[in-house]
Amino acid sequence: MGLREAIGKIKDVEVIKWEPQTAEGNDIIVYKHDKEDFSCNAQLLVAPNQIALFVNEGEVVPFVAGHYTLSDSNNSSFRFINKWRTVFSDGVSSFHCLVYFINLVHYHDLRFGTQNPIQMQDADEGVNIHVRAAGLFGAHIQNDDMDGKDVIKFLRKVVGTRKTFTKDELSAYLRGKIVERVSDTLGQTMIAKGVGILKVSAHYKELSDSLMEQMIPYFADYGIAIDNFSFMSINVPDEDLKAINEAKIAAKRMDLESEAMARKRAREGYTYQDEKGFDVMKTAAGNEATMGTFMGAGVGLGMGMGMGGAFGGAMNNMAQNTFGNMGQQPQQPQHPQYQQQPQQPQQPQQPQGGVTCSCGAQLPQGTKFCPQCGSKIGNFCPECGGEIQVGAKFCGNCGHRLVKVCPECKTELQPGAKFCPECGTKC
C-alpha cells in the first residue's frame, strides 16, 4: 500500500445528512444524527425543507439548505489522533460535536379536542350543560427570517436533548395549550354574549379567529408558527340536549297557554288584574262571616270595587251591606233561638287542687279540719274511721261495705233511695 493510499484511508471524508424516504420519516420533526464527534473536514448536506443545527461544545450554529464543511470542529482530520484523545476519557471525546436536523414541513391536519367537558349554563334555556369542542389546526417550526434563531428557541424550550421529536409529540404539546384557551374563549363567548348551545354553530368563525389571534404570539415564543385554526364541532351529550329540548317545549307550552288566556280575557272583557281580583273575592266569600274576617277581606273587596260594570255595582252593594253599619252595634235577629237568655248565677270555682267544706269554705288540698266550722275534711269509714278514697265501695282498712245495697236483690242503691229500683223492696 502506497503512502497516498494510506493517507486517503486516514482522511476519509465524513458525510452528515438526513433524507427520510417514508411518510413516517417525514413525520419526524427533529432528528439528531447518529454520527457524533466527527472530524473538522466532515461534509454537512442540508435538504431544502430542513435546517441543521451544528452543536460544537455547547455552541449552536444554524445551517440552512446547502452543502457545508464543518471546519469549526475542534476534532482533527486524522482519526488516529481523535482516537488517541479518547484513551484517557474512557472512549468519550472531550471535543464533543453533533448535528440536529429540523424538518420545516407545514402540518395542516393536527387535531384538538376537549378531554373533559366544559360545564356552564345554557344562555337560552338556563339548564346546566357540558360543552365539548373539537377541531383542526396547522403548525410548523418557524424560520421565516432564515437566521435559525426561532429554530434554536424551539430546540432549547421544547425538544431538549431528545434524539427525535415527532409530529404527534408536537400535536400533543400544542393541544394542551390550545384546549386551555378553548375553555376560556367558549365560556366568555357563550355566557357573556348570551349564545346558546343550539346557536353556537353560527359563531364558529368568530371563535376560530379569536383563538388563533391569541395563540400566534404565545407559540411564537417557543419558535412555533400557527398556520390555521378552525372549530369542527361544538356540542353537548345527548342527555343535555334532551334537557334543553324539554325546557324549550315547556316554555313553548307556557307561551301558548298564556296567549290563549289573554285571548279569552280579551273576548270576555276583563284583564289579568281583574282575574286576580275575582280570586280574592272568591276567597273572601268562602270565609266565615265574622267581623275580623270581613275586615281582612276588605282589602280584596276594595280591589274589586274598581272593576266597573254591573259586577262592580253588585260588589259595591255587598260592601255597603256588609261594612255600612260597621260603627254601630249589631242587632240581634228576632228569632227565638237567638233571644237573650237570663244569666245563671255563677258557682264559686273550686281552686285548682283544693277542696270545699260543707260550710262552703274553699280550702287547699290536704286540709284535715275546716278553720271556719271545725268540720273534719275528707271521707272516713263509719266502721273503723280510716280515710277512704272518693268513689270507693269498700274501706281499704277494714273492708267495710261503703255503698248501700238492696237487702233483697243486692242492687247498688243511690244515696237517699227509699226503694230498690230493681225489685221495689223498701230500703
Side-chain angles (χ1 to χ4, degrees):
M1 180 183 297
L3 178 61
R4 182 172 297 180
E5 293 177 356
I7 294 174
K9 288 184 176 293
I10 294 174
K11 297 182 63 176
D12 284 341
V13 176
E14 295 176 285
V15 177
I16 310 299
K17 68 175 181 177
W18 176 56
E19 296 178 350
Q21 303 296 320
T22 63
E24 292 78 7
N26 195 51
D27 287 343
I28 298 176
I29 298 176
V30 177
Y31 172 73
K32 183 172 72 171
H33 201 276
D34 294 332
K35 292 183 179 180
E36 298 182 8
D37 303 331
F38 31 78
S39 61
C40 62
N41 63 348
Q43 301 299 300
L44 176 63
L45 304 180
V46 184
N49 64 317
Q50 298 174 349
I51 183 171
L53 299 181
F54 174 47
V55 182
N56 184 34
E57 299 184 18
E59 182 182 359
V60 182
V61 180
F63 290 91
V64 296
H67 181 188
Y68 305 92
T69 299
L70 299 178
S71 58
D72 293 333
S73 173
N74 291 323
N75 289 313
S76 172
S77 301
F78 298 94
R79 292 184 183 179
F80 73 91
I81 296 178
N82 295 331
K83 290 181 180 180
W84 178 257
R85 288 175 174 176
T86 63
V87 170
F88 301 102
S89 58
D90 197 19
V92 178
S93 174
S94 58
F95 300 97
H96 186 54
C97 59
L98 53 92
V99 172
Y100 284 97
F101 287 93
I102 312 299
N103 193 346
L104 301 178
V105 171
H106 290 226
Y107 299 101
H108 296 286
D109 57 346
L110 305 179
R111 297 179 179 272
F112 74 91
T114 53
Q115 295 181 349
N116 298 316
I118 308 165
Q119 299 184 21
M120 64 179 69
Q121 188 179 67
D122 186 70
D124 290 337
E125 306 304 332
V127 299
N128 294 331
I129 55 177
H130 303 78
V131 180
R132 303 172 299 192
L136 295 174
F137 67 98
H140 69 277
I141 308 306
Q142 179 75 285
N143 191 40
D144 293 343
D145 295 335
M146 302 298 289
D147 56 5
K149 292 182 179 180
D150 291 324
V151 180
I152 296 174
K153 190 186 303 182
F154 172 71
L155 183 71
R156 288 175 174 171
K157 291 188 176 183
V158 181
V159 179
T161 59
R162 280 178 281 190
K163 183 175 179 60
T164 60
F165 189 84
T166 65
K167 168 186 172 182
D168 291 339
E169 290 177 300
L170 177 65
S171 178
Y173 177 81
L174 298 175
R175 185 164 51 241
K177 303 299 181 181
I178 289 173
V179 170
E180 178 183 338
R181 281 161 175 73
V182 165
S183 301
D184 294 340
T185 303
L186 279 180
Q188 293 174 4
T189 301
M190 298 181 66
I191 296 175
K193 296 185 178 181
V195 179
I197 188 62
L198 300 180
K199 301 177 181 177
V200 73
S201 58
H203 297 263
Y204 277 7
K205 188 178 186 306
E206 174 188 349
L207 291 169
S208 300
D209 294 344
S210 175
L211 278 167
M212 187 169 178
E213 184 178 353
Q214 297 177 46
M215 292 185 297
I216 286 177
Y218 177 81
F219 288 117
D221 192 44
Y222 293 86
I224 303 171
I226 301 298
D227 300 319
N228 59 277
F229 185 92
S230 60
F231 281 98
M232 303 300 294
S233 174
I234 301 176
N235 55 47
V236 295
D238 293 340
E239 53 269 23
D240 288 359
L241 190 60
K242 180 180 178 182
I244 292 174
N245 290 333
E246 290 176 351
K248 289 180 69 69
I249 292 172
K252 186 64 176 178
R253 184 184 297 114
M254 185 180 298
D255 292 341
L256 293 174
E257 292 175 355
S258 299
E259 292 174 2
M261 287 300 300
R263 289 194 296 269
K264 179 177 179 293
R265 296 188 191 104
R267 286 196 300 267
E268 296 180 1
Y270 64 94
T271 65
Y272 174 78
Q273 288 75 16
D274 297 340
E275 183 177 359
K276 300 306 292 184
F278 299 157
D279 294 339
V280 171
M281 288 178 285
K282 183 186 295 184
T283 303
N287 292 334
E288 295 180 359
T290 61
M291 181 62 66
T293 309
F294 270 110
M295 291 180 67
V299 175
L301 292 173
M303 291 172 60
M305 299 299 179
M307 293 183 183
F311 180 77
M315 291 307 302
N316 193 20
N317 293 334
M318 185 180 77
Q320 181 66 29
N321 294 333
T322 304
F323 302 110
N325 297 323
M326 189 174 292
Q328 304 177 6
Q329 294 294 332
Q331 299 180 359
Q332 293 287 348
Q334 301 301 317
H335 192 278
Q337 64 176 337
Y338 294 108
Q339 296 295 331
Q340 184 175 4
Q341 301 295 329
Q343 295 183 353
Q344 298 294 332
Q346 295 183 354
Q347 297 295 333
Q349 295 183 355
Q350 179 174 324
Q352 185 175 2
V355 295
T356 303
C357 180
S358 59
C359 68
Q362 302 296 321
L363 306 176
Q365 185 71 28
T367 304
K368 296 185 176 181
F369 293 91
C370 177
Q372 301 294 332
C373 63
S375 299
K376 191 174 183 180
I377 306 301
N379 296 323
F380 302 94
C381 176
E383 185 69 23
C384 65
E387 187 173 2
I388 59 177
Q389 298 293 331
V390 177
K393 295 182 178 181
F394 295 91
C395 176
N397 294 321
C398 64
H400 178 72
R401 182 187 289 275
L402 301 175
V403 179
K404 186 177 180 180
V405 297
C406 174
E408 184 68 23
C409 64
K410 306 302 180 182
T411 299
E412 184 176 332
L413 302 176
Q414 297 294 329
K418 297 181 177 182
F419 293 90
C420 176
E422 294 291 333
C423 62
T425 302
K426 185 175 180 181
C427 303

